[in-house]
Amino acid sequence: MGLFSNLILRRFKGIAPRYEEIVRAYREFLLTEEEFVIPKIERILIALDRYSEHLNKAILEYLSSYPGAEILILYVIDREVCRLIRETIGEREAELFRKRELEQGHKVLKNIKKLILEVDGSFSIQSKLKTGNKAEIIEKIADQFDIIIISRQYGAETTKTHPVSPIVLRILQNVKIPVLLY
């Protein structure tokens, strides 16, 4: 045994029993061996709407970790807002709102797709635009994916007291797959 080994053994003498005691006391909070395994991500859902922030550099770097993954970029228009506009202002205004939302949705989908392909061209990217209840649409298709990437502002703008929108909180509570917030 060398000098350094003797120094290390002398320095940490008596630590092993304490370590085992700590592991037993906190085993509920420590990762199991199954949890150490990095999950395989092959299908990614990116949910967007008019309130969503743009994909930031961290999210793009995260996506680059899964080359060849299938990505669905989904832009959702709130049907309830269209209905409220129709009932309060009129059919013509509701149709104008719907047209503007569709134009904005197509523009966002095109830009996000281009941005992701600039990071890595090996992704298989689909983009869809849907109208309906924002939370229900995501919850309904979530099981088809390995992870959801969603803005904290999806569905509504956030405030100082509510850093995550209520729709995102609902989605977090109702889906069984991991959700990455940005």
Side-chain angles (χ1 to χ4, degrees), residues 84-147:
L84 288 173
I85 290 174
R86 184 179 309 113
E87 289 178 1
T88 55
I89 303 175
E91 185 65 39
R92 184 171 173 260
E93 295 300 321
E95 191 58 35
L96 281 174
F97 174 78
R98 193 175 159 279
K99 275 185 180 178
R100 274 189 243 128
E101 282 290 306
L102 285 171
E103 288 173 8
Q104 182 180 349
H106 287 297
K107 185 177 170 185
V108 168
L109 290 173
K110 183 180 173 185
N111 289 339
I112 296 295
K113 185 175 182 178
K114 182 181 172 189
L115 192 64
I116 292 171
L117 287 174
E118 286 175 0
V119 171
D120 190 343
S122 69
F123 292 115
S124 167
I125 300 176
Q126 284 186 321
S127 56
K128 287 186 180 175
L129 201 145
K130 287 190 172 190
T131 302
N133 184 308
K134 293 180 178 186
E136 287 178 3
I137 288 173
I138 301 300
E139 291 166 1
K140 194 174 183 180
I141 64 169
D143 293 338
Q144 301 169 16
F145 296 91
D146 299 317
I147 190 166

Side-chain angles (χ1 to χ4, degrees), residues 158-164:
T158 57
T159 62
K160 286 183 180 176
T161 56
H162 296 89
V164 177

